[in-house]
Amino acid sequence: MAGQYIDGMEMDKLVSLCRRRGFLFQSSEIYGGLNGFWDYGPLGVELKRNVREAWWHDMVTGHNELSVAPGAPAPYEMTGLDCTIIMHPQVWKCSGHYDLFHDYMVDCRESKRRYRHDQVRGRWVTAKGQRIFVTTVAEVAQEQADVEHRALKFFHLRAKDADQLSWDGDFRALPEVTDLSQVLGPDARTLGTLTEPREFNLMFKTYVGALGGEESSAFLRPETAQGIFVNFRNVVDSTRVRVPFGIAQIGKSFRNEITPRNFTFRSREFEQMEIEFFCHPSQSQQWYQYWRDRRLKWYTDLGLAGERLRLREHDREELSHYSTGTADIEYAYPFLPPGEFGELEGIAHRGDFDLRSHMEGKLDPATCPLALERDADGKPRWRGSGKDLTYRDDLTGERFIPHVVEPSAGADRATLAFLCEAYTEDEAPDENGVMQARTVLRLHPRLAPLKAAVFPLVRKDGMPEIAQEVYAALKPHFPVFYDEKGAVGRRYRRQDEAGTPYCLTIDGQTLKDRTITIRDRDSLNQWRIHVDDCVAELQQLLR
RNA sequence: GCGGGUGUAGCUCAAUGGUAGAGCGUCAGCCUUCCAAGCUGAACACGAGGGUUCGAUUCCCUUCACCCGCUCCA
């Protein structure tokens, strides 16, 4: 493939092109912008729509449930769903997002580090007449060693003087300590450098109904997946689908990221393309592998074929114990340091965690086998729906809770990756045959915002009239663009920058035999086709 | 949110305590018979708010956004 991958230095060029050509704008720009929010412009909206539609077609509507897909263990069905962004607050309590996304954080004024309030642990220790609380974020096995080392250092004692340290009580979590002035932060050398704990809610909170107040509080969804789980029963009861089957959904999700960064990569409002695939527990591993490979192939088929795309299986330590596998599809975005990859999509084996949590109440991910998470009084921390979310196989009579494989893709991240991959600078000859720099988006034709452009070679001799005729013939079938202004070379270059794969030009010969030239964006090759064949020719090329 | 850097036309960059310039791009017209830089003309900027000053794009404060670190993983 001609052209060079862009590196971090050249990410700016892509961002600039996106803005200049109307792919992406900063949200609310005229008011100074809003951190973590992005708007898609005229070209961007088409590109992202094409990404979504390619996904929906390839995963849902184009799927043939009567035959066995390559690599699949069995035939399966696919269906779609579109649920609300705001759901019952209990959904997020049972899903675990409420607890996980609702943290208190403390900052250290000295080390400039930030910690989860509840993850900082420490011990009271007295030496030289002073009593301090020494904290650590080390693993439990190392925490005593770490705390002792740092206590010695604080009191200016040698290791052999460890017996001068008088420990008071066992390890306890930082939230149990009220006086932060006597706390030695995990990376601090002086006392009292930790700030008061501050609430971090990674979910956007809102209020349902005209009256505010905690009673009416709700959240914007941080993922679309839960809407699928809570509708599992509805889909099964209303569609005659049988396990194995998948429910797909595309929609906006919201996370109050601490630090939105890297163009649209980490946005606070973003779009997901998720599938929850329900299968028999005994087959879940095979389905996991199928989806992992199927999803990787989807990206490569659409042009992310280089070394910048990879599939990374999570290590055993990264997995929840109820999961038998998780893989990330990652892309080496140019804004990342060389060798680093950013996540495009996660394919997770989630077992029966989600359906059971919505049935029985929030499960404790730390338990094995999974058990209800309980509060200090032994009551369920968050009550489930109590509804039966088991599935009965009518053929075998077996009743079970399906296991779930979850391919969860980021629509904006995919769009960004396709843009990064497509951005190319190469050379093309000018009118004197001298090579000139050219910027071209080598987008896959399925993704290109415009499929073709139509030009009269010059604006006279009846060429515009024929060009408009061609344009009119194409327009009902494809997004196409008409341009008759200025030099034709300039018009070609403009289309190259927008990623338009084909340009049709009406020239002098057209007037004689009604043939026009068609020019390929990537190879710059041209060939002639008859005016009456241009729709068919493009349909052929764009397939 | 904390620390460091940045903020001038759409883009890239100048200059200045007193009316802000250029190139590219855009638009209009001319010229153009296949790959951006020919001619003529036009539009467009000091991120926002406040302060100091006779006067601020320039000095000060605040804020917003962007880039680099700490956190997050679609």
Side-chain angles (χ1 to χ4, degrees), chain A residues 98-350:
Chain A
Y98 185 83
D99 293 334
L100 194 68
F101 278 24
H102 190 97
D103 297 325
Y104 282 85
M105 309 286 274
V106 290
D107 291 310
C108 177
R109 296 187 193 90
E110 181 188 314
S111 67
K112 305 300 179 198
R113 288 176 183 273
R114 163 172 294 166
Y115 314 95
R116 284 255 308 267
H117 190 42
D118 58 345
Q119 283 182 351
V120 178
R121 289 159 54 79
R123 278 186 93 178
W124 285 104
V125 63
T126 305
K128 299 184 174 177
Q130 189 179 11
R131 183 170 180 265
I132 65 167
F133 189 73
V134 185
T135 64
T136 179
V137 286
E139 300 288 317
V140 172
Q142 280 93 50
E143 61 185 8
Q144 178 56 33
D146 186 50
V147 162
E148 185 170 306
H149 174 75
R150 298 190 45 253
L152 288 170
K153 207 160 190 178
F154 178 81
F155 287 114
H156 302 292
L157 293 170
R158 292 159 185 261
K160 64 182 170 64
D161 300 323
D163 54 359
Q164 291 187 33
L165 294 173
S166 168
W167 297 98
D168 178 3
D170 201 358
F171 274 93
R172 55 192 68 231
L174 185 59
E176 296 175 40
V177 177
T178 49
D179 184 7
L180 287 171
S181 70
Q182 297 308 305
V183 172
L184 183 66
D187 298 284
R189 315 180 104 185
T190 52
L191 287 181
T193 60
L194 296 182
T195 60
E196 286 297 315
R198 276 178 299 200
E199 187 178 346
F200 268 69
N201 200 329
L202 267 17
M203 284 194 289
F204 280 90
K205 197 174 198 175
T206 187
Y207 299 94
V208 176
L211 289 173
E214 281 308 298
E215 287 295 295
S216 62
S217 67
F219 298 98
L220 308 192
R221 67 183 174 202
E223 64 171 33
T224 57
Q226 297 305 321
I228 298 178
F229 292 125
V230 302
N231 277 295
F232 171 75
R233 184 86 261 158
N234 287 338
V235 171
V236 168
D237 289 348
S238 61
T239 62
R240 300 169 66 208
V241 288
R242 301 167 49 79
V243 166
F245 72 95
I247 304 177
Q249 173 163 223
I250 297 179
K252 288 284 184 77
S253 292
F254 303 82
R255 292 186 193 179
N256 232 334
E257 298 291 347
I258 299 167
T259 311
R261 196 62 69 82
N262 291 332
F263 207 20
T264 60
F265 183 76
R266 177 162 293 127
S267 299
R268 287 178 164 142
E269 175 175 341
F270 59 100
E271 195 150 359
Q272 293 184 297
M273 307 187 292
E274 293 197 295
I275 296 169
E276 303 303 326
F277 189 81
F278 301 93
C279 58
H280 191 277
S282 67
Q283 289 211 304
S284 62
Q285 194 56 29
Q286 286 168 277
W287 283 112
Y288 164 68
Q289 282 161 14
Y290 166 72
W291 278 109
R292 188 193 59 192
D293 300 341
R294 173 82 187 83
R295 290 302 307 151
L296 181 67
K297 185 168 185 300
W298 188 78
Y299 291 101
T300 57
D301 286 350
L302 283 171
L304 294 192
E307 298 166 354
R308 298 201 145 226
L309 186 74
R310 75 173 183 193
L311 182 85
R312 187 179 69 83
E313 290 273 358
H314 283 205
D315 300 332
R316 189 160 277 281
E317 304 85 72
E318 284 182 88
L319 291 177
S320 317
H321 76 266
Y322 58 80
S323 174
T324 53
T326 295
D328 286 343
I329 295 172
E330 300 181 324
Y331 185 72
Y333 291 93
F335 47 75
L336 298 172
E340 283 194 21
F341 288 71
E343 189 183 349
L344 255 185
E345 169 159 351
I347 298 101
H349 183 291
R350 298 189 55 82

